[in-house]
Amino acid sequence: MKTFRNFVAGEWVAPASGEYFDNVNPADRNDTIGRFPLSNSEDLERAVVSAQRGFELWKRTPAPERGDVLRHVGDIMTRRKEELADLMTREMGKPLTETRGDVQEGIDTAYYAASEGRRLFGKTVPSEMRNKWAMSYRRPIGVAGIITPFNFPMAIPTWKMFPALVCGNSCIFKPAEDVPHTATALVEIFLEAGLPPEVIQLLHGAGEVVGKAIVEHPSIPLISFTGSTETGSQVGATCGRMHKRLSLEMGGKNAQIVLDDADLDLAIEGVLWGAFGTTGQRCTATSRLILQSRIHDQFLGMLLDRARAMKLGDGRKKGTDVGPLINEAALRKVENYIDIGQAEGADLLCGGRRGQGRDLEAGYFYEPTIFARVEAGSRLEQEEIFGPVLSVVRVQTAAEAFAVNNGVKYGLSSSVYTRDVQVAFQALQDLDNGITYINAPTIGAEAHLPFGGVKQTGNGHREGGWEVYEFYSETKVGYVDFSGTLQRAQIDNYQGSAD
Ligand code: UN1
């Protein structure tokens, strides 16, 4: 079996602990991809010293030149797209169409970042004084700690690291334990594209050990984390105490609202993709379906037929609609929510059990599951499950649908199917989410727009688009006084001055 390494101080190295973990295919537990390092704070220490050297070099590299490296990264990813998608599906489970999309999101992010190297705008504004200039500009911050989840093994690391790098920071990358192979491939691509080796460090291992050590390290002033709200709170507490700059992307409990006047066929396609794509393991997954009463029964009937027909299987096989969950713990978590839903009196209409059949035995498969008559406020309706479980809530009016949508602690995405333009704009105005889709599902964010959520989904920052560049750079202001005299702001130019 292949043994993989960390990438530290410009070399592929074994972990200080000498210990490794197995990375298995979630569609087939007997298929082990390789052994990956269990890193600890000793590995981190070496990585930080090297990343600081990397930072000194990289911050002096002109931003357009940094952007050129990312353009090469995008070119290599484009060339290797098919092969990357295949290794990602083997490691993470979602069907090839989806992993191809995941790689494409990385490619889009690379080209956006490359062009941003030629912008990184500051502002030049008039000074209050004569013969004095005033301007703002951006500076890199330092070593960035990048902690990423398993569900978008390529896209999410690229969302974070490409802008971090174009802004001139160096990165210490700690990928989720479930997807170390994709992370390794990404670091190889960086190196092939010409990124100076000390600018990127890759540490595999457990979140509670090496992830925690990164968050607590005093020489890492910048942390970007995507994961659960519980872990995010701990990360936030540490970063708050240590005055670190932190971007959090956490849970969701996203709803698709279908109103009486909607195009039901279109809304069916949306909810199937939103709820069961990526086996429901997206922060943007459709976890709630809010149906207005007149179309409720008809829509549910149409949906059940389609959900029951979805094909569960190995994402690398043709015809698979839904892949496995990521691991045993995820499977258990989903099963626990099925018990909770039943205890709360919701109607289990389909699914509610592990994948059946010989070819599914060796993987973490769970059938697409739909609960109806779910009460707003119940645990099933409130808590993030991160699996293929959809809860249906019945409402009378659009206003009630909006209130149910807003009645959770999360606020990532929402979706409204309606033909009424007034209701559509009302939704854009009133739904408490970072993203609202009209006549499209809760998933499908594009790389060049800001991505993120309100309430306990995030902490106010956005990934993607132009906004993420604010996070990865510090604004500095420069004043140049060429008057040759002392000009006192707010005093010498104060028109009402008595002197
Ligand atoms: C996530 O769910 O963690 O819009 C990210 C989407 C994808 C990204 C999702 N482009 O669902």
Side-chain angles (χ1 to χ4, degrees), residues 101 105 149 151-152 155-156 159 226 249-250 254 278 281-285 386 412-413 435 437 442-447 451:
E105 206 160 334
N151 60 341
F152 281 81
I156 292 180
W159 284 3
T226 297
E249 283 301 335
M250 302 173 289
N254 316 296
T278 324
Q281 302 170 108
R282 298 190 185 209
C283 347
T284 51
F386 229 63
L412 186 49
S413 63
I435 309 169
Y437 293 92
T442 60
I443 66 184
E446 300 178 26
F451 177 93

Side-chain angles (χ1 to χ4, degrees), residues 61-72 110-122 138 166-167 469:
T61 306
E65 200 178 315
R66 299 195 295 248
D68 279 347
V69 172
L70 288 162
R71 190 164 41 73
H72 286 140
Y111 292 139
Y112 189 98
S115 67
E116 195 57 34
R118 291 183 183 273
R119 281 188 295 267
L120 289 182
F121 291 133
R138 291 171 189 281
V166 165
C167 287
Y469 293 84

Side-chain angles (χ1 to χ4, degrees), residues 388-431:
V389 182
L390 180 68
S391 295
V392 183
V393 181
R394 183 178 194 143
V395 296
Q396 298 303 321
T397 62
E400 191 188 340
F402 293 0
V404 171
N405 175 81
N406 289 350
V408 293
K409 67 179 180 181
Y410 300 111
L412 186 49
S413 63
S414 54
S415 143
V416 182
Y417 282 78
T418 180
R419 290 178 165 113
D420 184 332
V421 70
Q422 288 183 344
V423 175
F425 273 87
Q426 201 70 46
L428 292 171
Q429 177 178 282
D430 292 343
L431 296 182

Side-chain angles (χ1 to χ4, degrees), residues 206-373:
E208 314 84 72
V209 182
V210 67
K212 188 161 180 278
I214 290 172
V215 173
E216 290 173 352
H217 201 290
S219 304
I220 304 179
L222 192 63
I223 300 286
S224 181
F225 169 84
T226 297
S228 72
T229 298
E230 293 70 37
T231 309
S233 302
Q234 293 168 18
V235 173
T238 306
C239 291
R241 188 161 36 78
M242 298 181 77
H243 307 295
K244 294 191 180 201
R245 181 179 282 233
L246 168 68
S247 172
L248 293 172
E249 283 301 335
M250 302 173 289
K253 189 71 187 176
N254 316 296
Q256 175 172 320
I257 297 169
V258 184
L259 297 175
D260 284 343
D261 70 331
D263 177 338
L264 298 190
D265 294 315
L266 184 67
I268 287 285
E269 300 304 328
V271 68
L272 288 168
W273 174 232
F276 303 125
T278 324
T279 324
Q281 302 170 108
R282 298 190 185 209
C283 347
T284 51
T286 307
S287 188
R288 299 181 294 158
L289 175 64
I290 303 175
L291 299 179
Q292 200 170 359
S293 53
R294 189 163 58 76
I295 52 94
H296 178 275
D297 294 352
Q298 182 195 354
F299 192 80
L300 212 50
M302 292 162 73
L303 176 62
L304 276 177
D305 288 344
R306 291 288 302 276
R308 287 196 181 110
M310 288 186 109
K311 186 153 169 38
L312 209 53
D314 184 333
R316 291 200 287 173
K317 290 210 178 110
K318 251 197 152 55
T320 294
D321 297 311
V322 182
L325 286 161
I326 190 68
N327 55 33
E328 185 72 35
L331 198 57
R332 293 252 161 85
K333 184 174 181 194
V334 168
E335 288 181 329
N336 185 39
Y337 275 101
I338 303 306
D339 293 345
I340 290 170
Q342 287 182 310
E344 286 179 331
D347 274 356
L348 179 61
L349 298 184
C350 73
R353 56 181 191 171
R354 294 188 180 202
Q356 308 289 305
R358 294 261 325 252
D359 53 336
L360 302 183
E361 263 165 25
Y364 305 111
F365 292 99
Y366 203 86
E367 290 188 356
T369 298
I370 299 175
F371 277 104
R373 286 168 29 113

